[in-house]
Structures are given as structure tokens and as C-alpha cells.
Amino acid sequence: MMGNLAKHRELILAGAILVLLALVTLRYPGFIAPGNLVRVFDDTSILIILALGQMVVILTRCIDLSIAANLALCGMIVALLNVAFPGLPVPLLIGAGIVAGGAFGAFNGVLVWKLGIPSIVVTLGSMTIFRGSIFLLSSGQWVNAHQMTDAFKDFPRATFVGLPMFSWFAIAVIVGFVLMMWRTRLGRSVYAVGVNPTAAVYTGIDVGRTQFFAFVISGMVAGLAGYLWVARYAVAYTEIASGFELNVIAACVIGGISIAGGIGTAAGAVLGALFLGIVANALPVINVSPFAQMAISGTVIIIAVVFNARAERKKGRIILRKAEAQA
């Protein structure tokens, strides 16, 4: 039943994206040109990557408000490493960002797991810590394009089989998350913890440990996104991606990821991010004001929350009916 509900939501969202594209095409036919659609996907790749990481955390009944601050801190770390050691290969710098992000995610996870502190409190605090750490690391200075090596800046922009590396990173992360959620014990544990933590314990699943690994995964994708963001815009500073965590959460909610946990798929998170990416790229083209864009995005989020709440109530009624039948 959960799978059918998820598919239903994803089909509706996919249809909404097609309708949005059709409406934009009426005003600007060139928007659906293959080259432009590739650019839209490329522009949305970082949001897709972060939404998938946030999805895993939300599925376990937690939330990561520090994901954008983690991105910014990891971005500054790899930028400073590139300046201090210009000979370091780019893959090694990317690996350093992923490891650092995972460590910062583990910091959140330990506090939630071992101390039982609500995740919203933990990540609100760590968000401030991460932002402050950027200032301390950089002494408040920016790392600009002329300080970065050409290899550091050019690698994400390189194309392979007609697609930029940004897009390939997003595709690789999507495939990885789909496989993890449906083919691994961790993925099944994430859903079990979100649906019913008490029942998960009786099946031998450690709820706290599962939430810990969810935060580590969220941190790792934030570390990857940190490099991609800094390399793309060729600048690193304290306020990078400030407020971007709201876009990430919005993408998850629009994609059908239930804030109550246990419901949602990687496909839904990707579709939610793509919807926001298309809105951000399409509406300025047809001269829609930024304020109207915000209103449209907010309306869609509210509709998604209402739809998710109705789906959860329906699932609850089904469970109760089954319980009554067995009694």
C-alpha cells in the first residue's frame, strides 16, 4: 500500500512538472530545447544531491537544519586546501570534502543517538557552529577565483557524453541512493525506524544507530555539494548557501517525503528538487517577479503538506481496520 501511495504522489508531481513546462513553453518555446533542459538539470544538481541526503534523515523522523552550513564549511575547507596545496589532485580534494562532511554529520548523529537531543535542536545549534567555524578558518576572508587552481574550477564544468560533470555527479548520487534505499539493510532499517520505531526495536534494529548513519550520509552529500558549489561559483565565504536548507526541505516535502518519517522515495525527492529547479529557471524567463515565485513555491509546499497529511491519515485508517479485523 505504501508503495502504491508513493507511486501515486510521484505520478501527480511528474504530471505537475509537465504542465508547468507546457505553460512556460507557451510563452517561451525555447525553454524545452534539449540543451536548455540539460542546463536546468545541471543548475538543479546540487539541490537534488542535498535533497536525497535530507530525505534519509527525514525518513528516520529527524531533520537536518545544518545541511547547508555543512556544505559551506566543507566548501571552505576544500578551497583552503586547494590554495595551500595547489598540487593536490581534485579527486583527493573531493574525498576530503566528503570525509569532512561525514564527520560533521556524525557530530549531529552522536548527539541525537547518545544524548537523545531532538534533531531540530541539535542541527540548529550545529548550523551556527559550522557557520562560525568558517569565519574562524578563513579569518573572515573570501577565497576568490584567482586563488583557486584551474583544475579545481574546471573539473565540474567538464563534459562527458554531452553532459557536464555536475549532472553526472547528481546522476551517480541518485543511482546510489536508489540502490541503498531498496537493496541494502540500512535502507530497509531507515524505513522501519520511520514507520514504527518501537516495532523496529523488536525486529533487532537499533533506532539511534540508524539515525546516526542517516546524519553521516546527509553530511557526506553536503561535503560533496560543498566542493561542487565552491568550484561552480569560484568563491568561498562565510555565507555560502545561507538559507539553502529551506530549499532542500521544501524539495523533500514537495516530493512526498513525510516529515513524520517512514514515507517517501528517492524518486520523489528528485522530482521535488526538479520542480523547484524548473520554477527557479522558468519563471524569470516569462517575467514573473521573484515575489510571485516565492508565493508559487509556498503554495506548492502547502498543497504537498496537505496531500501528505491526507495520505498518512488514510494509511492510519487502513492499519486500524486491519488491527480490528485481527482482533
Side-chain angles (χ1 to χ4, degrees), residues 27 31 34 43 54 81 112 122 131 138 148 152 177 212 224 249 259-261 270 278 281 294 316 323:
R27 293 282 302 274
F31 189 81
D43 288 342
Q54 184 74 259
L81 283 174
V112 172
V122 169
R131 292 287 179 188
S138 63
M148 301 174 185
F152 181 87
F177 270 81
F212 168 80
L224 171 62
I249 295 170
I259 296 297
V270 172
I278 291 170
N281 281 272
M294 293 171 62

Side-chain angles (χ1 to χ4, degrees), residues 3 10-11 21 29 34 39 62 65 77 83 107-108 141 164 169 176 190 195 211 237 265 273 286 291 293-294 306:
E10 289 160 10
L11 287 174
L21 288 173
R39 283 190 291 273
C62 294
L65 297 179
I77 289 172
V83 172
F107 172 75
N108 289 331
Q141 302 297 312
F169 274 113
V190 164
V195 170
Q211 292 172 334
Y237 59 100
T265 65
I286 58 176
F291 300 104
Q293 294 176 43
M294 293 171 62
V306 171

Side-chain angles (χ1 to χ4, degrees), residues 46-171:
I46 292 178
L47 180 57
I48 290 172
I49 291 170
L50 292 178
L52 288 167
Q54 184 74 259
M55 173 199 71
V56 178
V57 175
I58 292 176
L59 285 174
T60 64
R61 301 193 174 192
C62 294
I63 196 164
D64 187 359
L65 297 179
S66 69
I67 193 167
N70 194 343
L71 176 158
L73 179 53
C74 292
M76 179 59 77
I77 289 172
V78 296
L80 291 173
L81 283 174
N82 180 243
V83 172
F85 307 100
L88 282 178
V90 172
L92 190 59
L93 291 172
I94 296 174
I98 293 173
V99 170
F104 300 141
F107 172 75
N108 289 331
V110 166
L111 294 179
V112 172
W113 177 19
K114 295 299 184 181
L115 299 184
I117 305 174
S119 61
I120 191 170
V121 176
V122 169
T123 57
L124 189 61
S126 61
M127 175 174 65
T128 307
I129 292 171
F130 295 163
R131 292 287 179 188
S133 299
I134 300 170
F135 185 87
L136 294 175
L137 277 176
S138 63
S139 301
Q141 302 297 312
W142 290 28
V143 179
N144 294 306
H146 69 274
Q147 298 171 275
M148 301 174 185
T149 63
D150 290 337
F152 181 87
K153 294 178 290 186
D154 294 342
F155 179 71
R157 297 182 177 86
T159 58
F160 177 72
V161 196
L163 286 178
M165 291 304 296
F166 269 104
S167 297
W168 284 115
F169 274 113
I171 291 169

Side-chain angles (χ1 to χ4, degrees), residues 9-23 254 275 278 300:
R9 288 196 302 272
E10 289 160 10
L11 287 174
I12 291 175
L13 182 53
I17 290 174
L18 292 176
V19 170
L20 177 60
L21 288 173
L23 292 174
I254 292 171
F275 182 89
I278 291 170
V300 172

Side-chain angles (χ1 to χ4, degrees), residues 186-254:
L186 176 60
R188 292 189 291 271
S189 297
V190 164
Y191 279 111
V193 167
V195 170
N196 192 325
T198 303
V201 171
Y202 284 114
T203 61
I205 296 173
D206 188 322
V207 173
R209 185 187 297 272
T210 302
Q211 292 172 334
F212 168 80
F213 282 116
F215 277 105
V216 171
I217 291 168
S218 176
M220 291 173 68
V221 298
L224 171 62
Y227 163 73
L228 294 175
W229 189 295
V230 169
R232 183 187 190 102
Y233 298 107
V235 64
Y237 59 100
T238 306
E239 297 303 315
I240 279 180
S242 180
F244 199 67
E245 62 276 354
L246 300 180
N247 291 28
V248 176
I249 295 170
C252 290
V253 171
I254 292 171

